[in-house]
Amino acid sequence: MGKVVLVTGVARHLGARFVADIRRRPGIDLVVGVDVQPPRDPVAEPEGPAAGYRFEKLDLRRPAVARVIAEHQVDTVVHLNVSATGVGPAGRSAVKESNVIGTMQLLGACQKAPGLRRLVVKSTTGVYGSAPRDPAVFGERMQPKNLPSGGFAKDAAEVEGYVRGFARRRPDVAVTVLRFANIVGPVGDTPLCEYFTLPVLPTVLGHDPRLQFVHEDDVIEVLCRSAVEPVPGTSNAGTFNVAGEGVLLLSQCARRLGRPTVPMLQPVIGWVAGLVRQTRLADFSPEQLRLLTHGRVVDTTRLRETFGYQPGFTTAEAFGDFAAAQSAGLLPPERLTAVTDRLAGLLGPEGTTARHPAHPTHPTQELNPR
């Protein structure tokens, strides 16, 4: 008999995509999808040979998941139900319960499953936080200067703590924690993607943070490789940062989208963020505001050298694919690029005006003040 994979969070786009892909992998006999409601779009039947699929409607906060694991003799669990937003109009308290209490119930069920051999948990680079004195690049073994104080990042940090406890109690289970950077793609259903769809992007005055992105295609591939036996010479057990190569400044993201930015003082943008949340235009949370102030960059050496995977999309390419699927902004990206290129040509290597070399040079304001 082949592997039996239980996947949580299949009602979301990412979970449904993962189910469709993992069913096509060799050696998979059955995939069991678990969530509080069926996927918004029914899971498409893969072409050619594919593993069977069963959907179980249940809430992870209830102990019924233990029955499902035992009934189907599950040997691999892929936990994707740690998310910044809930399914449907769930409030923040319900999302936190689903993330933390749901994970505790799932790990309790896994603890009692003697046939379990592999556990994969979706996490986020948000566990490193975003603070002014952060290191330039975070590695997997580094601790944040300031632990996340709330929101999805704090949920993920708590979830990782429970997963480490499970790994100590069940050393026979291969445990993988994947810390994904901001996930983007043509669908773009994350809170940060919602922010980038605003017609005008509020930014923090004096800051132009560095951001990293990972394309959903790379996310699916990393998840699939984590759920099966590793390629010889590599290891898919442990904690891995997952992000596309390179970084983008927030100002560069805005230009690629053709959206104007409105720099604001931090107290003002905090008020605007609250207004945006109340009007349900986007989930502009305090942790996202910190990201858009200080940014975050992670090291992906372990992903390449230990896990054995090089993302197919760089950060710029991943964001470009997301931008191509969005409606045109107020400012055409081509015109913005032409203007910025012309400004760059008018500036000398020291950032001073180069048109009048005979005159004293004058300091110019930085294009991307930090």
Side-chain angles (χ1 to χ4, degrees):
M1 184 175 179
K3 296 172 71 68
V4 178
V5 182
L6 182 138
V7 185
T8 69
V10 297
R12 297 181 177 86
H13 168 71
L14 191 68
R17 270 207 62 184
F18 172 72
V19 167
D21 274 50
I22 196 64
R23 291 179 63 193
R24 293 196 295 264
R25 302 282 165 144
I28 306 297
D29 185 69
L30 175 66
V31 177
V32 181
V34 170
D35 215 322
V36 293
Q37 66 185 44
R40 286 171 291 186
D41 300 321
V43 177
E45 283 296 322
E47 296 181 1
Y53 177 69
R54 288 280 304 275
F55 173 74
E56 296 281 352
K57 183 178 180 180
L58 60 86
D59 190 334
L60 283 183
R61 294 172 293 180
R62 306 290 181 263
V65 66
R67 172 189 57 79
V68 175
I69 291 176
E71 178 183 340
H72 297 288
Q73 300 181 17
V74 171
D75 55 60
T76 302
V77 170
V78 180
H79 185 31
L80 305 182
N81 203 40
V82 181
S83 178
T85 57
V87 177
R92 171 60 200 151
S93 60
V95 172
K96 181 176 181 61
E97 285 186 8
S98 177
N99 288 339
V100 179
I101 305 301
T103 299
M104 293 175 64
Q105 287 283 4
L106 177 65
L107 294 178
C110 292
Q111 176 74 27
K112 300 174 183 177
L116 188 71
R117 293 292 173 263
R118 189 171 296 276
L119 171 67
V120 181
V121 179
K122 168 183 168 287
S123 188
T124 170
T125 57
V127 297
Y128 298 116
S130 295
R133 294 190 178 184
D134 280 348
V137 180
F138 277 106
E140 286 88 347
R141 296 183 181 274
M142 299 175 67
Q143 296 296 319
K145 296 290 183 181
N146 297 295
L147 292 173
S149 58
F152 174 48
K154 184 179 181 181
D155 293 354
E158 292 183 19
V159 164
E160 287 196 14
Y162 292 124
V163 171
R164 286 191 293 269
F166 170 82
R168 289 191 295 268
R169 294 189 300 272
R170 289 290 303 270
D172 58 312
V173 176
V175 177
T176 304
V177 175
L178 300 171
R179 293 173 176 167
F180 291 108
N182 301 291
I183 301 173
V184 294
V187 175
D189 59 353
T190 66
L192 189 60
C193 291
E194 292 178 354
Y195 164 80
F196 282 122
T197 61
L198 295 173
V200 177
L201 304 181
T203 61
V204 181
L205 182 65
H207 295 268
D208 196 9
R210 298 175 304 154
L211 303 174
Q212 276 181 315
F213 300 97
V214 58
H215 196 280
E216 64 180 43
D217 289 355
D218 287 317
V219 172
I220 297 300
E221 183 62 27
V222 169
L223 287 169
C224 286
R225 293 191 182 202
S226 300
V228 298
E229 293 300 316
V231 175
T234 67
S235 173
N236 59 3
T239 301
F240 301 93
N241 293 329
V242 185
E245 290 295 304
V247 300
L248 281 176
L249 299 177
L250 178 57
S251 59
Q252 292 175 314
C253 296
R255 289 199 295 269
R256 281 162 169 75
L257 291 166
R259 283 168 169 75
T261 59
V262 180
M264 301 177 181
L265 294 173
Q266 281 191 331
V268 177
I269 197 172
W271 176 83
V272 171
L275 182 63
V276 170
R277 287 197 303 273
Q278 290 177 6
T279 56
R280 299 182 182 273
L281 290 174
D283 184 12
F284 205 164
S285 64
E287 64 177 307
Q288 184 169 303
L289 181 55
R290 287 190 289 270
L291 174 66
L292 297 177
T293 303
H294 306 295
R296 185 191 309 118
V297 179
V298 298
D299 179 28
T300 58
T301 301
R302 291 197 73 230
L303 178 71
R304 300 190 307 272
E305 297 182 357
T306 303
F307 192 92
Y309 182 71
Q310 174 71 47
F313 289 79
T314 65
T315 282
E317 291 168 345
F319 190 81
D321 196 37
F322 163 74
Q326 306 307 307
S327 58
L330 299 176
L331 304 175
E334 298 80 6
R335 293 184 62 185
L336 276 176
T337 301
V339 170
T340 53
D341 288 347
R342 185 178 180 187
L343 285 174
L346 294 176
L347 297 177
E350 301 298 327
T352 57
T353 305
R355 294 184 62 185
H356 304 288
H359 294 272
T361 57
H362 300 280
T364 58
Q365 185 180 11
E366 290 183 346
L367 294 178
N368 295 314
R370 294 188 60 80

